[in-house]
Every structure is written in C-alpha cells, then in structure tokens.
Amino acid sequence: MPLDLTYLILIPAILFSLWAQARVKTTYARYSKAFAGLTGQEAARMVLEMNGVTGVTIEQVAGELTDHFDPRTNVIRLSRGVYDVTSVAAVGVAAHEAGHAVQYAVGYGPIKLRAAIIPVTQIGSYLSWPLLLIGLLMGNETLAFAGVLLFAGVVLFQLVTLPVEFNASNRALEALDASGYLQEEQLDGAGKVLRAAAMTYVAALAQALAQLFRLLMIANRTRKD
C-alpha cells in the first residue's frame, strides 16, 4: 500500500494547535496566581448588569475549564476554579462567558448563525469520511465529493466561531475596563488569558481547513482512477 503523503498537509496545523494549547495552559496558570479583587461569579454578573442583561442565572459546574453559557436555559456555568475564585484568569474566563450571554440578549448575528448551522456541522462530522471512503471504493466521484462538501460545513462552523469568540472577549474586556474594578495590569492579564484562549479557535480553523484540503486531494483520486 503506498504511503499517504496527504497527511503532511496536517502537520503545520497540528503543530500550531499544540502551541496554542500550551500557550493557554501557561497563560492561565500564570494569571491564576494573580489577584483580581472580585470572583468569577461577580465578574460575570457585573458584565451582565453593565450591558442591561437580566434573567441569566450563574451556576457552578464540576470540572476544569468547563465554563460555558447555555442559551437553552439562559445559564452561565462556571467551573470550580472560576466561580468563587478571585484570580485574574477566573475573572477573564467568567466575563467571557457573560459576553456570550450578552450576544444572545442583543441578537448578535454570528452567534445566531453558528447555532443555526450546528445540525449541519454534526451531520458533516459523522458522514463526511464514510461518504468519501465509499466513493473511493466504488470509484464514485459524486459520493466522494459529497463527503468533502459535508466536511466543508465543519469548516464553516469553525470560521463563524472566530468572530463569536473574539466578540465575546471584547465585550468582556470593555465591561471590565468600564467598571473600574480592575487595575490596568489586571485588565491586561485578563486580556492575555482571553487572547490565548482565542488562539485555540484559530488553530481549530487551521486544522479544519488543512483537513478539507486533504479531503479534496483524496476525493480527486476518483477522477484519476
């Protein structure tokens, strides 16, 4: 069996992803030791209040970095290392999740688009490879490229995620700055935590794009066989 050299396409994106993950861990660890003066829960509530958002509940959830906003129940769930912790990292993470709640409250377009394409993304992630492989085995170009098209939905999801995540961080930092609770050094630290986290989404998009290009190369074999 000949060596599949298309794997080489993925290497730069994988290395980028590993770097982004390492950066998140080191940045979060550094600013987890920096005192902020308010807890993650208080920071999230403050961001909501400064944006006039009401009706959002803030709860503690188990796990590490399991923080998220659930639009179905209108609940911000903060991990134990964030909820009642007074670190710069905790404040940044909590404020970011509150930023997502604000996005839903104001009807931010990209987050509505991301929610709408989630079903397509899920279908694409499950069926893209099976369709591609069946197409290759049968020499069916239509099936092979249908698999590629489905995976393109995954790429679209990652692409739409970028403005969503960056905007949530911007909303969080603007509210933290306007509140006057954090000193300049603390606000800068929160920004570094959020920017490091944002790079993981850039890396995810890079991996998805590399994989899409690889699938196109593989699917193109049906034209040559």
Side-chain angles (χ1 to χ4, degrees):
M1 180 178 295
L3 179 64
D4 185 3
L5 295 179
T6 61
Y7 278 112
L8 296 177
I9 298 172
L10 303 178
I11 293 178
I14 291 173
L15 292 176
F16 180 32
S17 180
L18 292 174
W19 171 82
Q21 292 172 19
R23 186 185 177 198
V24 167
K25 290 181 180 179
T26 56
T27 305
Y28 186 82
R30 175 184 176 185
Y31 288 101
S32 289
K33 301 174 183 177
F35 180 70
L38 70 165
T39 66
Q41 185 272 340
E42 292 170 338
R45 180 58 62 192
M46 181 191 66
V47 172
L48 295 175
E49 291 177 351
M50 293 193 68
N51 284 276
V53 178
T54 59
V56 177
T57 304
I58 304 174
E59 300 177 350
Q60 182 173 304
V61 65
E64 182 179 358
L65 294 180
T66 50
D67 314 270
H68 63 280
F69 171 65
D70 186 348
R72 298 168 300 179
T73 57
N74 227 23
V75 175
I76 296 174
R77 296 189 175 90
L78 302 177
S79 61
R80 294 175 182 174
V82 171
Y83 184 84
D84 57 0
V85 176
T86 57
S87 72
V88 169
V91 165
V93 171
H96 174 86
E97 297 308 329
H100 283 311
V102 174
Q103 288 175 331
Y104 276 98
V106 301
Y108 180 61
I111 204 167
K112 294 168 67 176
L113 174 59
R114 186 176 73 168
I117 65 176
I118 284 178
V120 177
T121 301
Q122 292 174 333
I123 293 172
S125 63
Y126 284 118
L127 295 182
S128 57
W129 271 104
L131 280 177
L132 176 63
L133 293 175
I134 292 172
L136 288 174
L137 291 173
M138 298 178 60
N140 189 311
E141 182 181 333
T142 300
L143 280 178
F145 279 94
V148 175
L149 183 61
L150 283 175
F151 190 81
V154 177
V155 176
L156 176 61
F157 178 82
Q158 296 294 350
L159 182 62
V160 174
T161 292
L162 286 187
V164 171
E165 296 300 329
F166 278 104
N167 180 265
S169 291
N170 289 338
R171 291 176 188 271
L173 292 173
E174 287 174 3
L176 291 174
D177 186 20
S179 70
Y181 277 101
L182 299 185
Q183 298 177 3
E184 183 177 350
E185 183 178 350
Q186 295 169 324
L187 185 65
D188 181 63
K192 288 180 179 178
V193 170
L194 295 182
R195 285 191 291 274
M199 290 306 295
T200 63
Y201 294 100
V202 177
L205 174 60
Q207 280 192 289
L209 285 170
Q211 187 70 275
L212 178 62
F213 184 52
R214 176 173 176 251
L215 293 183
L216 280 169
M217 291 182 65
I218 295 174
N220 196 50
R221 294 173 184 172
T222 58
R223 292 179 174 177
K224 299 177 181 179
D225 296 341

